[in-house]
Amino acid sequence: MTHALIVIDVQNDFCPGGALAVTGGDEIVAPINAMMDEFDAVILTQDWHPAGHSSFANSHLGKAPFEMTEMPYGPQVLWPDHCIQGSHGAAFHPDLRTDADLILRKGFRPAIDSYSAFFENDHKTPTGLKGYLDTRGIDRLTLVGLATDFCVHYSAVDATKLGFDVTVQTKVCRAIDMDGSLQAAENAMRASGVVLA
Ligand code: VGL
Ligand code: ZN
């Protein structure tokens, strides 16, 4: 098997002090760096939103961060402004190794969010990652990063649906955990055949 490490969204805005800080988000940087050499390929994802993105509460009159809204593609959590293209917050954590094979940006279309590294939140629009992995002969994936209950969760579930053998190293992930979202994400990942290690 050809085994890739996919490092999800280890960016300043998801680390302490960032716009959408995940508790302990910076604690996983050193373990991720240490893991990288064990894989045939390393892929980093980068949440990469234009200013005024439709997933930002500030783009919706009368809405506050962490409230829900209805988008044409379904329910969507509204977030604080985060990971704006070219900003310090969108940059990788300064200690993260970036000597990766591929950096995949997602969430760049103004009208649609993209938690998964494979499909945008309409679950239809592909990011191109499947084609990249297939053409490199990669069939096994280990996922780490931020946040366990959003981008790691949706990426892992989509990866199993696409036929990859998927492990999430939960100790090398950190969660936002709003309203039981971590427990729900773990249940959904297990149900779809993801191995939680
Ligand atoms: C993420 C919320 C909004 C994530 C990205 O990386 O989990 N969560 N954008
Ligand atoms: Zn985002």
Side-chain angles (χ1 to χ4, degrees), residues 7-13 15 29 43-48 87-98 100 102-105:
V7 180
I8 305 286
D9 299 358
V10 180
Q11 295 166 256
N12 289 321
D13 270 341
C15 290
V29 173
I43 294 150
L44 309 181
T45 70
Q46 191 172 26
D47 208 40
W48 193 251
S87 68
H88 172 77
F92 291 113
H93 185 286
D95 298 330
L96 183 72
R97 282 177 59 181
T98 55
L102 176 74
I103 294 174
L104 181 96
R105 289 172 168 169

Side-chain angles (χ1 to χ4, degrees), residues 9 14 20 47-49 53 55-56 76 79-80 82-83 106-107 113-115 151:
D9 299 358
F14 297 123
L20 180 41
D47 208 40
W48 193 251
H49 301 306
H53 191 256
S55 74
F56 298 167
Q76 168 73 46
W79 303 106
H82 65 279
C83 296
K106 60 183 181 61
D113 204 2
S114 187
Y115 295 150
C151 290

